[in-house]
Amino acid sequence: MKITLKDIAEHANVSISSVSRALNNANSPALVNDQTRLRIIQVAKDLGYYKFKNKLQKNEKFSENEKVPKRVELVLYDVKAKYQDPYFSEIIYGIESELLDQECILDFTFEVQDIFNFNLFGDMNESDLGVICIGPLKHDFINELNKQVPFVISVGEIPKLEMDYVTVDFRHAAMQAVQYLVDLGHRNIAFIGGSSQFGMPIDQEERFYGYKEAMELNHLKIVPEWVQDGCFDLTKSYEAMKKILNTQSPPSAVFTASDKMAFGAYKAIGEYGLSIPHDISVVSFDNVEMSEFINPPLTTVQVHKEEMGRIAVKFLLQRMEGGIPLPLISYLPTKLIVRSSCTEKSELKNI
């Protein structure tokens, strides 16, 4: 009988997320408490989940009717930050959930620096091991990993190498979001983006290119002072929005490259005594859970984050089983979720 994540959660009377953390991330900073973790592990043992893992660790033979579990490792730039980030945590949750549902084993979650510091490339070069890279990583690292590890897939990154990717078209989705503001009558539109952890400036990031293309297609001027780096951080996006509002003639709308940065912008706009959307409209990117519950609810691009993680696992397993002969790039669809943070330009008050 196939044991799923949901089965374990129901028997242990905990959330599916707690099961995922307890079983797959013993060294993760996002642990459940010890008592709950022990209860989850015991339930998993009782239901038979660990028979696969124990047999693999002991090199025991599987019967003809038993499925030999695949082993998967995750690679992230910053483990703690990714597990706490509302965007990446949903992707990771999708990966962990699908691995459990597919009766696979999540061996380890690595940071890039640890792989270099402890020379772990050799340990990862095993024929039965797959690796999932989450979020932006340096291309030279991905290239080296792809050379040394038989099965690698990247999730949420821009395709640059001959390998498997599951991602979204950040540029096109951003362009649609900005076009929505233009269609509402906005002509003065600011941008808060995020520079890469690896030093890539915001004007080379895909969501900026989407913003730029929409502005140019509509013959609208990009004001340099209205393009600010929020570093995908609450505090820095708050400061970025203040810089925009301190310009001589503030814009009537702003597009932020993530909901997290939109939350920082909301705080700055409120502190300046301005109202969203009547003084300034805000549109964003990600559609994390909190976006629906802030005031006013945030208009944002929906990214299917959990599904991105689940599909990455399915593709990786197909690759490991020889079911995919060529590098595969899958772009998941996005959708603009219209809420109350934008209004038509004709309804705006003078700032």
Side-chain angles (χ1 to χ4, degrees), residues 85-296:
D85 184 278
Y87 176 82
F88 286 105
S89 64
E90 286 194 49
I91 294 176
I92 295 168
Y93 169 74
I95 291 171
E96 294 174 345
S97 301
E98 190 63 31
L99 285 172
L100 282 176
D101 288 349
Q102 296 286 344
E103 297 177 347
C104 295
I105 295 172
L106 177 56
D107 265 10
F108 291 101
T109 300
F110 290 112
E111 289 191 359
V112 171
Q113 201 55 48
D114 289 337
I115 294 174
F116 282 114
N117 289 345
F118 300 103
N119 193 26
L120 298 175
F121 281 115
D123 295 335
M124 300 169 77
N125 187 11
E126 300 180 29
S127 60
D128 64 341
L129 182 67
V131 175
I132 301 177
C133 298
I134 303 172
L137 299 172
K138 283 187 175 180
H139 290 150
D140 57 353
F141 167 78
I142 295 285
N143 197 36
E144 184 66 22
L145 188 66
N146 200 33
K147 289 178 180 177
Q148 301 208 32
V149 180
F151 308 106
V152 181
I153 190 168
S154 175
V155 183
E157 174 62 303
I158 307 301
K160 298 288 185 181
L161 303 171
E162 290 294 317
M163 58 178 289
D164 298 331
Y165 289 87
V166 179
T167 188
V168 298
D169 190 337
F170 291 97
R171 183 185 302 208
H172 182 69
M175 186 170 64
Q176 288 185 318
V178 177
Q179 186 62 50
Y180 172 72
L181 291 171
V182 174
D183 292 342
L184 288 175
H186 294 277
R187 296 296 178 264
N188 300 320
I189 304 171
F191 174 76
I192 298 177
S195 58
S196 167
Q197 295 164 320
F198 318 117
M200 178 185 293
I202 63 170
D203 61 0
Q204 295 180 26
E205 200 270 332
E206 289 294 304
R207 278 158 284 199
F208 173 79
Y209 286 138
Y211 162 78
K212 181 181 178 182
E213 286 183 20
M215 296 292 281
E216 290 177 346
L217 283 172
N218 291 280
H219 309 289
L220 301 177
K221 181 181 179 182
I222 296 176
V223 179
E225 292 78 15
W226 292 350
V227 176
Q228 294 292 334
D229 188 354
C231 299
F232 295 104
D233 178 81
L234 278 170
T235 301
K236 291 179 180 178
S237 58
Y238 162 75
E239 296 294 340
M241 190 71 233
K242 289 203 299 184
K243 291 178 182 178
I244 292 170
L245 294 174
N246 282 332
T247 56
Q248 187 173 3
S249 179
S252 66
V254 59
F255 168 56
T256 63
S258 76
D259 291 351
K260 190 174 182 179
M261 292 193 291
F263 301 155
Y266 264 52
K267 178 176 173 61
I269 292 168
E271 288 184 358
Y272 274 66
L274 302 174
S275 171
I276 302 171
H278 299 296
D279 293 315
I280 186 165
S281 290
V282 181
V283 66
S284 189
F285 202 104
D286 288 346
N287 193 33
V288 300
E289 184 178 16
M290 186 59 64
S291 301
E292 184 179 357
F293 298 98
I294 59 173
N295 186 28

